[in-house]
């Protein structure tokens, strides 16, 4: 799944087209006074990224949707009519893919997205603004999804500082929050997919993940830039702990009230 490195030749996207223009030169954004060099490099990378173009062509709001499409295309974890929760759903690219792949237009299944930011509506998705760490949010999501979920997806990422230890702690904090939320709302056999970083998941976290799920693996989709430390954790076959304080039927009761 790691992107193959070229040997002096232009890198090509999934369409086979080169990142370079017909003139053979990398496309450059117009320079603007006051724009930082880092911003200029980011814009240049965006202009020449084949997955940005692919996402735009398919109508996705972000290239992140291509990552989910690639991971699901290989591992087939999303099924029609599933009940799915998307944590950190803005701007909505993952919601778009899930709504289509789970065939929510058929009136079966459910998709709830939550983010600190406002997210434009997505057909088939129930979107809420909130913080998963706040009291009452879990119950609200359970009410909207109708009880327990088949899948919890998280593309949440902390803003990086460049300080490796700080970034590690921030990444772990979000991973732990996402797993705690998933552990309370997933039904037995459910799945958990979350953004992580190479070296970002420590031994204790992985031990807990392996105790809660039958199978855990790292994924690196092609659309995740080769130079990025970004990766994803896919955990399938959720097994609720015997001393689960939530109780298997508690969230269903909440949803019915």
């Amino acid at each position: 799944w790691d992107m193959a490195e070229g040997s002096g030749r232009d890198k090509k996207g999934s369409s086979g087209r080169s990142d370079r223009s017909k003139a053979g030169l990398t496309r450059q954004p117009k320079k603007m006074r006051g724009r930082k060099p880092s911003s200029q490099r980011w814009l240049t990378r965006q202009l020449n990224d084949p997955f940005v173009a692919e996402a735009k062509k398919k109508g996705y709001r972000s290239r992140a949707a291509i990552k989910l499409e690639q991971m699901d295309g290989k591992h087939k974890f999303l099924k029609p009519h599933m009940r799915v929760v998307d944590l950190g759903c803005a701007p909505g690219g993952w919601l778009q893919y899930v709504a289509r792949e789970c065939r929510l237009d058929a009136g079966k299944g459910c998709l709830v997205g939550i983010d600190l930011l406002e997210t434009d509506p997505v057909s088939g998705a129930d979107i809420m603004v909130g913080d998963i760490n706040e009291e009452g949010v879990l119950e609200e999501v359970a009410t909207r999804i109708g009880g327990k979920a088949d899948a919890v997806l998280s593309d949440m990422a902390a803003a990086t500082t460049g300080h490796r230890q700080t970034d590690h702690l921030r990444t772990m904090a979000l991973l732990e929050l996402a797993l705690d939320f998933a552990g309370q709302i997933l039904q037995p056999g459910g799945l958990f997919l979350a953004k992580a970083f190479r070296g970002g998941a420590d031994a204790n976290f992985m031990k807990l993940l392996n105790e809660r799920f039958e199978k855990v693996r790292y994924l690196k989709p092609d659309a995740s830039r080769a130079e990025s430390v970004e990766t994803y954790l896919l955990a399938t076959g959720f097994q609720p702990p015997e001393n689960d304080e939530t109780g298997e039927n508690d969230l269903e009761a909440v949803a019915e009230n």
Side-chain angles (χ1 to χ4, degrees), residues 184 219 224:
Q184 296 181 76
L219 308 182
S224 182

Side-chain angles (χ1 to χ4, degrees), residues 88-212:
C89 65
W94 278 28
L95 293 175
Q96 289 176 296
Y97 178 78
V98 174
R100 186 193 74 190
E101 200 64 21
C102 293
R103 301 176 189 172
L104 298 183
D105 55 355
K108 297 181 181 180
C110 188
L111 172 60
V112 174
I114 180 170
D115 201 287
L116 295 172
L117 305 174
E118 292 276 355
T119 305
D120 289 337
V122 172
S123 178
D126 184 358
I127 304 171
M128 57 186 286
V129 176
D131 184 340
I132 64 171
N133 202 32
E134 290 182 354
E135 186 177 352
V137 170
L138 175 70
E139 289 76 13
E140 176 65 20
V141 172
T143 298
R144 295 187 182 213
I145 208 166
K148 294 280 190 175
D150 299 303
V152 172
L153 314 179
S154 172
D155 199 30
M156 296 190 297
T160 56
T161 64
H163 185 268
R164 187 164 184 169
Q165 187 175 5
T166 300
D167 292 341
H168 170 82
L169 292 173
R170 288 184 173 186
T171 299
M172 282 308 306
L174 282 180
L175 265 176
E176 289 169 1
L177 275 176
L179 178 60
D180 181 63
F181 189 94
Q184 296 181 76
I185 202 167
L186 277 177
Q187 66 177 354
L191 69 90
F192 175 63
L193 175 71
K195 186 198 291 283
F197 293 96
R198 286 195 291 268
D202 63 23
N204 290 332
F205 180 85
M206 291 305 297
K207 181 177 181 293
L208 179 60
L209 205 57
N210 279 290
E211 288 174 352
R212 294 285 184 89

Side-chain angles (χ1 to χ4, degrees), residues 8-64:
R9 293 175 292 181
D10 294 343
K11 292 183 180 179
K12 297 185 178 181
S14 58
S15 64
R17 291 191 293 272
S18 170
D19 291 1
R20 293 173 179 266
S21 66
K22 292 180 180 179
L25 301 174
T26 301
R27 295 175 61 196
Q28 295 286 343
K30 293 181 180 179
K31 292 186 177 181
M32 295 182 64
R33 183 177 297 175
R35 180 183 288 163
K36 295 179 179 179
S38 59
S39 298
Q40 188 78 10
R41 288 194 298 271
W42 182 86
L43 286 169
T44 300
R45 186 173 63 182
Q46 289 294 100
L47 280 172
N48 294 281
D49 189 329
F51 296 112
V52 171
E54 184 179 348
K56 185 176 181 180
K57 182 178 180 180
K58 292 182 175 180
Y60 291 137
R61 296 177 184 176
S62 64
R63 72 191 299 282

